[in-house]
Amino acid sequence: MPSKDSNKKSALSVQKGVEQVNQLDENAVSKFKDAKKKDIPADQFLKEILFGNITFLGRAITLIESSKNEHRIKAQEIINKCMPYSGNSVRIGFTGVPGVGKSTFIEALGMNLINKGKKVAVLAIDPSSERSGGSILGDKTRMEQLSASKNAFIRPSPSAGSLGGVARKTAETIILCEAAGFDTIFVETVGVGQSEIAVHSMVDFFLLLMLAGAGDELQGIKRGIMEMADIIVINKAEGDNIHKANRAKAEYQNALHLFPPAESGWVPKVLTASALTGVGIEDVWKIITDYIEYTQNSNFFTKKRNEQSKFRMYEMINEEIKNRFYDNKDTKLNLKELEKKLLKGEISPYFAANMLLK
Ligand code: GDP
């Protein structure tokens, strides 16, 4: 476990006017500058990460996200060294359409947990973030209290590449965060596409935020996403909205009964909450801890994590095979030519594919 002092070195937790803390932060900054200049050995990364040094954690994540091969090799070395120190956390996925209150909810639950003595890392998967010119998720300004807490670490979505690539980077970032002592990992995504499946493949528990009276169509939530949820939380359940929220709760409970039972044996719960007032947040946490206990007792927890690791390995193999194929100079040379012949009707798609694969 990192010492308290190590947390003060965090570049995220500068406290103005406290001389001692500034001194420590300067140390972190100079270490960071050194790290930029020199090629820091993976062992030093490991040592600093295990010490809870947020600056080094951030830098290692930057290596994971880099498109440079040498950076990726270094990142893999660091990840491998961190592996024995990872895994000791609860990984929770959050989804829901923009505006449903994800960041407000994460802030409320995150602060609740920090007050319980936990350390919370907030990561995000948003493959669209590159196109929209900056990540809409994990934005520190959206989670002011968490950003200011030395026991929280917020990292926006990696922006470049395919969903598979973005997901891999986030899954690897989880390992580093756990090695750095974060015992609660939040992974956030928007509830509009394939990214839920990616998040689901790397978390223990999946939380779907909904609004009362908006209708499933309007909320863009597909049945498949509801089926993945271990809990559905109807947010903004306060004031005049409480009645509607309770009605929605009953409706979702009924709908969930129609789904086939989950492999874990867990029956998904539906709760109402208000991220704004904090009502219901504690109840949600209670359900999450119940779920963890339930799945740990049945061994499903470990089984699911093992399956997730295996899934990622095969996904990585598939991605690499594909990259090597398209990067191959013979492929590049012949692809266009065969495509032309295909379009002229001279050869069949099967023949063209076979020629290239050979
Ligand atoms: P996100 O896009 O899903 O991350 O949603 P945000 O957390 O940014 O919230 C969108 C808007 O809903 C903001 O104006 C929040 O203040 C508001 N909001 C979030 N949670 C609640 C809630 O429980 N009650 C009410 N009334 N407003 C909320």
Side-chain angles (χ1 to χ4, degrees):
M1 281 298 286
S3 73
K4 275 187 181 162
D5 279 352
S6 69
N7 291 322
K8 287 180 189 164
K9 289 180 187 172
S10 161
L12 288 173
S13 62
V14 179
Q15 293 175 25
K16 286 196 182 77
V18 183
E19 207 173 314
Q20 195 192 4
V21 173
N22 280 342
Q23 185 62 43
L24 283 168
D25 274 339
E26 273 164 25
N27 283 341
V29 168
S30 78
K31 269 188 186 174
F32 185 61
K33 281 184 180 158
D34 282 351
K36 268 190 161 171
K37 268 183 247 149
K38 280 186 292 184
D39 186 24
I40 304 285
D43 275 326
Q44 195 183 339
F45 267 106
L46 174 70
K47 198 174 122 225
E48 296 291 346
I49 288 171
L50 291 182
F51 195 60
N53 186 330
I54 302 295
T55 313
F56 272 73
L57 173 63
R59 184 146 174 75
I61 297 170
T62 303
L63 292 175
I64 289 177
E65 292 171 354
S66 171
S67 55
K68 283 195 183 147
N69 210 24
E70 73 218 63
H71 289 170
R72 278 174 20 190
I73 291 167
K74 173 57 78 58
Q76 289 310 322
E77 215 185 322
I78 299 167
I79 293 162
N80 268 337
K81 285 182 187 293
C82 285
M83 275 303 283
Y85 306 96
S86 71
N88 194 18
S89 76
V90 175
R91 305 168 182 167
I92 305 163
F94 291 84
T95 192
V97 291
V100 71
K102 288 181 299 300
S103 50
T104 313
F105 195 91
I106 286 172
E107 167 116 317
L109 181 59
M111 287 314 294
N112 176 309
L113 298 180
I114 282 170
N115 290 333
K116 287 184 166 76
K118 297 199 172 290
K119 288 188 72 176
V120 180
V122 183
L123 313 175
I125 291 188
D126 176 15
S128 66
S129 58
E130 193 177 37
R131 266 171 287 150
S132 57
S135 177
I136 53 160
L137 297 172
D139 183 352
K140 285 182 203 166
T141 58
R142 297 191 311 148
M143 303 176 201
E144 275 177 20
Q145 287 183 63
L146 273 182
S147 313
S149 169
K150 65 180 170 56
N151 288 321
F153 176 75
I154 301 175
R155 183 83 182 188
S157 174
S159 59
S162 62
L163 172 59
V166 170
R168 177 181 58 79
K169 290 167 190 170
T170 303
E172 290 174 342
T173 299
I174 291 178
I175 294 167
L176 300 191
C177 289
E178 289 171 347
F182 290 93
D183 51 31
T184 314
I185 313 286
F186 290 168
V187 187
E188 180 191 5
T189 193
V190 282
V192 287
Q194 291 291 307
S195 49
E196 279 73 22
I197 296 165
V199 172
H200 190 248
S201 77
M202 66 181 75
V203 296
D204 307 311
F205 186 91
F206 197 67
L207 186 152
L208 170 61
L209 270 184
M210 302 278 265
L211 293 176
D216 294 359
E217 283 308 314
L218 209 69
Q219 297 192 47
I221 298 292
K222 307 217 166 53
R223 183 195 149 107
I225 293 170
M226 271 181 70
E227 261 180 278
M228 286 193 294
D230 298 301
I231 190 172
I232 293 177
V233 179
I234 321 282
N235 192 35
K236 309 196 185 183
E238 83 267 306
D240 294 344
N241 216 15
I242 286 184
H243 184 63
K244 257 196 326 196
N246 282 330
R247 214 169 46 217
K249 178 181 162 176
E251 278 167 19
Y252 284 120
Q253 261 163 347
N254 283 338
L256 287 177
H257 275 126
L258 302 174
F259 290 168
E263 193 197 336
S264 60
W266 172 262
V267 181
K269 307 287 183 287
V270 186
L271 258 72
T272 59
S274 166
L276 204 63
T277 65
V279 171
I281 297 293
E282 187 61 41
D283 298 330
V284 171
W285 181 240
K286 169 80 171 66
I287 301 268
I288 295 174
T289 51
D290 283 353
Y291 174 89
I292 300 298
E293 202 184 311
Y294 173 81
T295 51
Q296 276 176 343
N297 286 339
S298 69
N299 217 29
F300 180 80
F301 188 88
T302 311
K303 187 175 167 239
K304 185 172 174 185
R305 281 205 176 176
N306 288 343
E307 276 170 8
Q308 289 173 335
S309 292
K310 241 167 57 180
F311 168 80
R312 258 192 300 286
M313 182 182 82
Y314 284 109
E315 200 182 45
M316 183 75 210
I317 292 171
N318 293 343
E319 198 179 323
E320 191 58 32
I321 289 174
K322 211 165 86 179
N323 288 344
R324 284 188 198 178
F325 171 75
Y326 284 108
D327 283 347
N328 181 287
K329 71 174 190 333
D330 288 335
T331 307
K332 283 181 184 163
L333 210 65
N334 295 314
L335 189 64
K336 283 283 156 221
E337 205 47 47
L338 284 167
E339 200 184 281
K340 269 188 212 152
K341 286 187 176 170
L342 171 78
L343 294 181
K344 279 189 203 155
E346 291 172 12
I347 52 172
S348 75
Y350 175 79
F351 181 84
N354 238 341
M355 284 297 286
L356 286 163
L357 288 168
K358 268 186 191 153

